[in-house]
Amino acid sequence: MARSPVHCMSFSVLVLPLALAVAYLLAAFPSPPAPITVHQSLASLPQTSRSWTIYPEDFYPGGAYAELPYGKVRYWLMGPEKGRKIVLIHGLSIPAIIWKDVAPALASNKYRVLVYGASFLRRTLETSYSSPAADLYGRGYSDAPQTTYDPTLYTTQLALLMQHIRWDKAIVCGVSMGGGIAAAFTSQFPQLVDENVVLIASAGIMDSGDISRTAKFMSSPLVQTLASSGPVRHYLQRLANSSSSSVTAAMEGAESSNNDSDPPDAATNAPHSASVQAALEIVRLQSAHLPGYNAALSSSLRDGPIRGQHHAFTSKGFEDRRVLLIHGTKDATVHPRYAEGIMDLLPEKTRRKSKVVYVDGAGHDLTLTEPERVGGAMWEWFEGRG
């Protein structure tokens, strides 16, 4: 049955405005992108905070800030300016304090060291290199952009930082997730990497099954939204504040045990125990007081270079390099089997010039607990004796 002109007119009056409105919305030019929200770092905490005692801004000498597109980055340069350059990259949660013994040893041996993070200096080894230190985005004294913490965020951070300090090439050394960053960086910016790459307790090719269900649950967007709410943050802050006194006592007890009357093993292990306690306390304080810290960790766990970097290790960036892998035999975070897994991925010519060193009995934080053995392995490798 044919529709009357009146029906057609009514239909047009009802449908045509809606169709035009939909077409306008689909074709409308978007608004300008909003600036990225950047959360503040440990520098924003009051001077009464325990963080200033454990991990002050001048934790290393030669500290400065670089203004990069995603916020300020704190870094330190140590060692002679003419020394061989090396970059130390920390891992997922602990900032540059994780290099507190390794970085100064390199600097005292005439390396020019770049650290982004923080750590104490101690003189050991003896020859000629230069290294800087800095904190990754979202940790320590570097700002926390509200964005996805994927491999490219971290690699461009390092590339821009090297440009800022006018370095054209350096040895790259990463621990834990820092190893995954080092791999991605070598793959993406091979022209900025020296012949040597050092990977300590390196992530990068972890299976999702090796990440605990608790970590997966806690890193979910829903849980992170709840965790960033006022009541939860207030609870975390109270918890961190209440634990500070017991942690301080434990640290002081470990340090005071390092005296002449102690057995040799106790005197040797006490400073390392205090280092681990200090690092864990910084993690607690960041989690409780820095609004961008937990989100940075969660995104790094889900989107970062902990997993999926197989292509980086097989890339042209790793061709004709010398790769030193150092791994603790008791590492319960990144299983020791991943060291051999990374070795198997390297190009054949590189594999013939590379080496895996296992530190017997060491766990995941071996740069804090076994700095002499880690530093010794690095030193021998750089000098061609490894």
Side-chain angles (χ1 to χ4, degrees):
M1 178 172 149
R3 293 181 179 273
S4 67
V6 175
H7 283 122
C8 290
M9 181 66 72
S10 300
F11 180 79
S12 298
V13 169
L14 291 174
V15 174
L16 189 58
L18 180 62
L20 290 173
V22 171
Y24 173 78
L25 291 174
L26 292 175
F29 198 69
S31 301
I36 293 175
T37 299
V38 177
H39 298 288
Q40 292 182 310
S41 68
L42 283 174
S44 65
L45 298 186
Q47 291 291 324
T48 54
S49 172
R50 172 81 176 139
S51 63
W52 289 98
T53 303
I54 301 173
Y55 182 31
E57 276 185 311
D58 60 354
F59 189 79
Y60 292 108
Y65 283 101
E67 293 276 359
L68 302 184
Y70 283 89
K72 292 190 299 183
V73 173
R74 181 70 174 175
Y75 69 93
W76 296 262
L77 283 167
M78 295 167 274
E81 291 187 6
K82 299 295 185 181
R84 189 176 179 186
K85 299 175 178 69
I86 180 170
V87 180
L88 303 180
I89 310 170
H90 66 74
L92 178 69
S93 58
I94 300 174
I97 194 172
I98 197 137
W99 301 110
K100 71 173 283 294
D101 294 303
V102 174
L106 288 168
S108 68
N109 280 278
K110 303 177 184 176
Y111 282 81
R112 183 69 167 164
V113 182
L114 168 61
V115 179
Y116 44 137
S119 67
F120 295 111
L121 295 179
R122 174 178 297 176
R123 297 183 64 85
T124 45
L125 312 173
E126 289 288 332
T127 178
S128 166
Y129 290 75
S130 156
S131 65
D135 285 316
L136 296 174
Y137 285 129
R139 286 81 161 176
Y141 289 98
S142 293
D143 287 341
Q146 191 170 303
T147 188
T148 301
Y149 284 68
D150 59 14
T152 301
L153 178 74
Y154 290 119
T155 56
T156 54
Q157 178 190 14
L158 178 53
L160 290 170
L161 182 58
M162 288 180 66
Q163 181 187 55
H164 176 78
I165 61 175
R166 293 181 170 83
W167 279 18
D168 56 6
K169 185 170 287 192
I171 298 170
V172 177
C173 173
V175 62
S176 191
M177 187 186 77
I181 296 172
F185 185 79
T186 302
S187 173
Q188 295 177 16
F189 299 98
Q191 74 279 8
L192 300 181
V193 181
D194 184 270
E195 179 189 15
N196 290 285
V197 176
V198 181
L199 306 172
I200 303 171
S202 181
I205 60 170
M206 288 183 67
D207 297 328
S208 296
D210 283 340
I211 301 174
S212 70
R213 291 181 181 178
T214 301
K216 292 174 183 175
F217 175 74
M218 293 302 294
S219 68
S220 67
L222 176 60
V223 172
Q224 284 305 303
T225 299
L226 294 174
S228 63
S229 64
V232 174
R233 289 191 55 74
H234 182 66
Y235 170 74
L236 290 174
Q237 289 168 9
R238 288 184 58 190
L239 197 64
N241 292 337
S242 65
S243 67
S244 291
S245 58
S246 60
V247 171
T248 301
M251 290 169 58
E252 291 175 349
E255 290 169 350
S256 65
S257 67
N258 187 20
N259 58 58
D260 294 338
S261 63
D262 290 322
D265 288 346
T268 300
N269 294 331
H272 301 330
S273 175
S275 298
V276 173
Q277 291 288 346
L280 294 177
E281 177 69 355
I282 284 295
V283 170
R284 279 190 285 267
L285 290 169
Q286 290 178 117
S287 179
H289 295 283
L290 301 184
Y293 176 77
N294 292 324
L297 259 62
S298 298
S299 181
S300 298
L301 195 63
R302 297 167 66 86
D303 310 304
I306 290 175
R307 305 171 294 156
Q309 295 304 301
H310 300 73
H311 66 284
F313 291 109
T314 61
S315 71
K316 290 184 177 180
F318 271 93
E319 288 183 354
D320 203 25
R321 296 199 187 277
R322 299 175 72 241
V323 180
L324 173 64
L325 295 114
I326 304 174
H327 220 107
T329 59
K330 299 295 184 181
D331 192 333
T333 302
V334 180
H335 195 279
R337 73 174 183 275
Y338 286 116
E340 291 292 345
I342 291 172
M343 180 68 83
D344 291 341
L345 289 170
L346 296 174
E348 183 178 355
K349 189 175 180 181
T350 298
R351 197 161 57 244
R352 290 200 298 266
K353 298 192 295 182
S354 300
K355 180 180 180 180
V356 179
V357 173
Y358 290 106
V359 180
D360 188 45
H364 190 61
D365 296 328
L366 68 171
T367 58
L368 289 174
T369 60
E370 302 288 347
E372 294 85 2
R373 295 164 76 181
V374 170
M378 292 174 64
W379 185 248
E380 289 184 3
W381 184 252
F382 295 150
E383 294 301 299
R385 301 196 302 269

